[in-house]
């Protein structure tokens, strides 16, 4: 996401590098970041919106399918101040769907930061199972949006078909 223009406020992301994003925003690294989840690479990462399904699909009409391989993720407490966010535990579930909208892959991951981080916490790697290597039409990420957590993702690797 580092090729996107710098944005110090949460900016909706719709299409990027062959994928269409649903309910995602991106933001650039603050000059000073106290606590929270460290960016895997600078200057940008994406975050889940507060409501709605978090999803990715191949960008029509350029691509028909894609296969996600891996990404890095973490969760922060929703504070309204990006430069002073705290890392918090979260569990996510990634699901892959084929062209017939049938769920063909599912995998869960947990982000477990230390209880009292003094500095930024590194993102957790999420390597997807071989079930995700088939040609998928849609991938969703579910996490408890009713909590105060905000899901952040960086460096997602995938193939387009």
């Amino acid at each position: 996401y580092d090729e996107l223009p710098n944005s110090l406020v949460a900016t909706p992301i719709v299409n990027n590098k062959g994928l269409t994003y649903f309910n995602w925003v991106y933001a650039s690294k603050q000059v000073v970041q106290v606590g929270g989840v460290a960016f895997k690479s600078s200057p940008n990462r994406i975050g889940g919106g507060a409501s709605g399904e978090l999803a990715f699909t191949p960008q029509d009409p350029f691509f028909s399918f894609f296969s996600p391989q891996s990404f890095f993720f973490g969760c922060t407490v929703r504070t309204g101040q990006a430069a002073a966010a705290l890392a918090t535990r979260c569990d996510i579930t990634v699901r892959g769907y084929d062209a017939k909208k049938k769920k063909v892959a599912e995998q869960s991951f947990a982000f477990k930061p230390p209880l009292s981080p003094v500095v930024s916490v590194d993102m957790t790697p999420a390597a997807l199972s071989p079930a995700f290597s088939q040609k998928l039409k849609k991938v969703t990420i579910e996490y408890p949006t009713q909590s105060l957590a905000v899901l952040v993702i960086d460096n997602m690797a995938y193939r387009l078909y």
Side-chain angles (χ1 to χ4, degrees):
Y1 306 102
D2 299 330
E3 71 285 345
L4 295 169
N6 284 351
S7 176
L8 296 180
V9 297
T11 303
I13 179 173
V14 178
N15 294 313
N16 186 55
K17 295 181 97 173
L19 292 182
T20 299
Y21 293 74
F22 296 90
N23 296 313
W24 291 96
V25 296
Y26 82 93
S28 301
K29 186 174 184 176
Q30 304 292 319
V31 175
V32 177
Q33 181 174 343
V34 181
V37 178
F39 283 59
K40 186 63 184 170
S41 65
S42 288
N44 300 320
R45 66 181 178 191
I46 63 172
S51 63
E53 179 181 68
L54 299 175
F56 308 95
T57 61
Q59 187 178 346
D60 285 335
F62 307 107
F63 301 99
S64 298
F65 302 98
F66 79 110
S67 300
Q69 299 161 333
S70 64
F71 57 90
F72 291 83
F73 78 102
C75 285
T76 62
V77 174
R78 191 183 315 273
T79 63
Q81 297 183 14
L86 298 173
T88 188
R89 181 191 165 95
C90 68
D91 300 301
I92 65 170
T93 301
V94 183
R95 293 184 178 96
Y97 298 87
D98 64 14
K100 296 179 183 177
K101 300 182 181 178
K102 179 183 172 191
K103 181 176 67 173
V104 294
E106 181 173 307
Q107 191 170 355
S108 295
F109 301 95
F111 176 69
K112 301 175 186 176
L115 293 177
S116 57
V118 178
V119 294
S120 296
V121 178
D122 288 338
M123 289 184 158
T124 295
L128 294 164
S129 72
F132 285 90
S133 64
Q134 56 192 304
K135 294 179 179 177
L136 301 175
K137 196 67 172 172
K138 180 179 181 180
V139 170
T140 64
I141 298 181
E142 181 181 298
Y143 78 106
T145 55
Q146 72 276 11
S147 72
L148 295 177
V150 175
L151 174 65
V152 291
I153 289 180
D154 209 352
N155 293 16
M156 185 167 72
Y158 55 91
R159 293 186 63 197
L160 293 163
Y161 304 96

